[in-house]
Amino acid sequence: MPIKVAYQATIEYMQILDEQGVLDADLARDTLTDDQVVMLYEHMSMCRRLDEIAFKLQRSGRLGTYPQNMGQEAIASVALAARKQDWMVPCYRENAALFLHGLPPEKILQHWMGDERGNQIPDGLNMLPMSIPIGTHMLHAAGIGWAAKLRGIDQVAFTFFGDGSTSEGDFHEACNFAGVMEAPVVFFCQNNGWAISTPRKKQTRAETFAQKGLAYGLKVRQVDGNDIFAIYKAAQEAIVDAKAGKPTLIETLTYRLGDHTTADDARRYRDSDELDAAKKKDPLIRVRKYLESKDLWSADLEDAMVERNKVKVDDIVARATNIEAPKTSDIFDAMFATTPPELARQRDTMHTHSLGQFPQQETLSNPTPHPAHA
Amino acid sequence: MTTAMIETTRQIQYREALREAMSEEMRADKRVFLLGEEVAEYNGAYKISQGMLDEFGPKRIIDSPISENGFAGLGIAAAMHGLRPIIEFMSWSFSLVAADQILNNAPKMLYMSGGQWGCPIVFRGNDGAGGQLASTHSWCVEGLFANVPGMHMAIPSCPYDAKGLLKTAIRCNDPVFFLESERMLGDKGPVPEEEYTIPFGEAILRAEGDDCTLVSFGRPVNFCIEAMVELAKEEISCDVLDMRTIRPLDIDSIVRSVKKTGRLVVVDQSWPFASPATEVITQVCERAFDYLDHQPVRVNSDDVPTPYAKELEQAYLPHKGKIIEAVKSTLGLV
């Protein structure tokens, strides 16, 4: 009996705007308008500036830890493809998309400055707070999409995670659930080459991260992650599929130009040659080249934009800095829908008694003083 | 502390009480649904959800892939989306692979989001040993999980409480860990037809006495009652406090009783180190040290994995004999 092929698949790679700023006009049809590209360029540049300032804030002790997003700003175009009602379920390296979906940038700074209120999402914005543990939130994205479907609400959940996350069980469980439940979910695996110091080749022997989704019956594709057009188009098509009960896993090939976080120093484990090569693929450079080639941009416009972005970022930092610090006792107030008496007692006595000590010891008699105090 | 229960002649099983609680709440609130392994088509691995698929359909009684971390995470997101999930773990032993979701996400969501994202979700399932399921399937998770702030933990000892506490759990706006017992699923007890709920954080006095305070949680409450009956024959009388919830802990009721009896025995089925018993004893020492006439005594499972062999398992768990001995020790009788 002949051996048959039980399953065969190919992984498509899509690039629309190359490193030189040359656009594939056919693939680019019905994607981003010129105005959108200009807006994205200015937005991504603002995000880059904010990233640099956040780094300095951390170094000067005004911010706890910060994971720079530098080099991955092209993910912003997901937010242009997404509809207002769609959900963003983020980790921490897609600020550019979150801001464009409606999150005030000062919220992110507030969070990294150590104020949990920075994770509060404004009314009317469908977004979960940033998830810092690796992998955890992909299941929430699957659950958000699934819950929307159960409730008959037309919403798609977009989630973002790095290449390292795909080694967590959560990734596989989330993909499996999304597939089985036919949930409207779009998984963005931002393959930036590094999971802190673990290189991509130590993460998996699979040729692509995209192919991992095949095992769960997802639609999969690989795109240039520094290409705003490719990301936009992939997201746009994934929304259509998601609404039809077909979740998608999109692997974006990008690069983490900065350190993992401010607690990391990538120079210790990463070749400078690799970094230099990656810098040439910077999403900002190619968009500028493209805009200049279409006479939509100039050195003057660039200078004016840089000035505008300085002001914007200064405003963001000022807004984050001027938020009144929470009170120490506030840590007790967001534990339950209604604060139970035991917790209220801990809150009310935190400055006078160590945790767990009940201030009102019920005694039969006065305690005998220690001889030293007698 | 509560003392009154609604009188009734109707006797139903513990599992039926759980089913009634879920079904009644699902009828009353369209946001409530049940998700877990084999809960729908198979009617539940332990038949707790028997017939619920027929009544509520596959959109509300939902079979899941075998993926505890997965469906715990899905449930958390569904709660954040506005639904009221009941997540069934076939056994709490299996919840260990879902630790990141149930411990690191659900109870912290409100805090981490600056008070914005509550997580009204019930995680429920069988907890505890006694069925010869060997060490990996016999977890008593209360000792391990009760350490985590941000959730409620209920542990009913009888059908009446199973129903009343589960209804409260489903209506609760915070995460609830609901610890049932496979060994009690077939136990029958009085459960009234009429609507009732049992508040969290209020213990119930199962028996009244003057010599010693017996405090317990869940299934071992029944062993305390057996011990109390035996001890009464020797004219030793005990307060038996069924705590009903571990978090919140009704320490006021315990202190009140200890002030009367001067002696305390705490029985809990988890391992002794950092267990609910440890917590009760610590809090009693903090609050009413002077009232103790004897050092508090705890009866826990032995500090080894749950043995598989029947006799060894029974010897390892808290039981009537150990409790009687503990009470007598506080009276200087052994």
Side-chain angles (χ1 to χ4, degrees), chain B residues 4-39:
Chain B
M5 287 168 67
I6 301 165
E7 295 294 326
T8 181
T9 54
R10 189 177 78 125
Q11 299 268 323
I12 64 170
Q13 288 182 339
Y14 192 100
R15 66 160 58 78
E16 292 168 328
L18 294 169
R19 186 188 309 144
E20 280 191 0
M22 289 193 286
S23 297
E24 286 176 16
E25 292 307 300
M26 286 183 67
R27 282 174 210 129
D29 186 345
K30 298 279 180 248
R31 298 171 301 169
V32 181
F33 68 90
L34 174 66
L35 171 67
E37 291 157 6
E38 307 189 354
V39 297

Side-chain angles (χ1 to χ4, degrees), chain B residues 126-188:
Chain B
N126 288 315
D127 174 73
Q132 267 201 284
L133 295 171
S135 69
T136 59
H137 285 47
S138 297
W139 268 86
C140 303
V141 293
E142 52 269 41
L144 193 60
F145 291 172
N147 188 240
V148 179
M151 53 81 179
H152 305 284
M153 182 180 278
I155 182 162
S157 69
C158 61
Y160 185 95
D161 285 11
K163 182 172 178 182
L165 288 170
L166 186 51
K167 285 171 74 83
T168 302
I170 295 167
R171 294 179 195 183
C172 183
N173 287 324
D174 305 308
V176 179
F177 288 19
F178 199 86
L179 276 47
E180 300 154 11
S181 162
E182 186 215 335
R183 305 307 298 159
M184 294 196 291
L185 289 177
D187 290 359
K188 282 195 167 182

Side-chain angles (χ1 to χ4, degrees), chain A residues 286-299:
Chain A
R286 70 178 75 179
V287 178
R288 184 175 173 180
K289 282 184 179 170
Y290 166 71
L291 289 174
E292 284 171 349
S293 75
K294 291 193 77 179
D295 284 333
L296 291 166
W297 204 250
S298 65

Side-chain angles (χ1 to χ4, degrees), chain A residues 121 136 151 173 356 361-362, chain B residues 67 81 100 114 116 259 286:
Chain A
I121 306 298
T136 296
R151 299 176 71 186
E173 292 181 90
Q361 172 71 228
E362 304 190 27
Chain B
S67 181
H81 201 284
D100 183 53
Q116 188 179 40
K259 284 167 79 173
E286 285 174 345

Side-chain angles (χ1 to χ4, degrees), chain A residues 103 148 166 203 207 220 233 260 266 293 317:
Chain A
L103 186 72
T166 63
Q203 207 61 250
E207 295 294 326
V220 302
K233 190 176 176 69
H260 167 64
S293 75
V317 172

Side-chain angles (χ1 to χ4, degrees), chain B residues 259-332:
Chain B
K259 284 167 79 173
K260 178 180 69 171
T261 65
R263 295 173 188 86
L264 173 65
V265 172
V266 189
V267 184
D268 101 69
Q269 58 187 353
S270 49
W271 291 303
F273 199 98
S275 63
T278 317
E279 182 60 27
V280 167
I281 291 169
T282 302
Q283 291 199 28
V284 167
C285 288
E286 285 174 345
R287 292 219 10 211
F289 188 77
D290 271 9
Y291 283 91
L292 291 166
D293 293 330
H294 187 278
Q295 72 268 31
V297 175
R298 57 185 165 166
V299 180
N300 286 97
S301 292
D302 293 328
D303 215 4
V304 297
T306 311
Y308 182 31
K310 191 173 184 179
E311 292 76 8
L312 287 178
E313 186 179 32
Q314 291 310 311
Y316 148 97
L317 286 168
H319 56 68
K320 181 178 74 173
K322 288 183 185 176
I323 298 166
I324 290 171
E325 194 181 337
V327 171
K328 285 185 173 176
S329 77
T330 67
L331 293 158

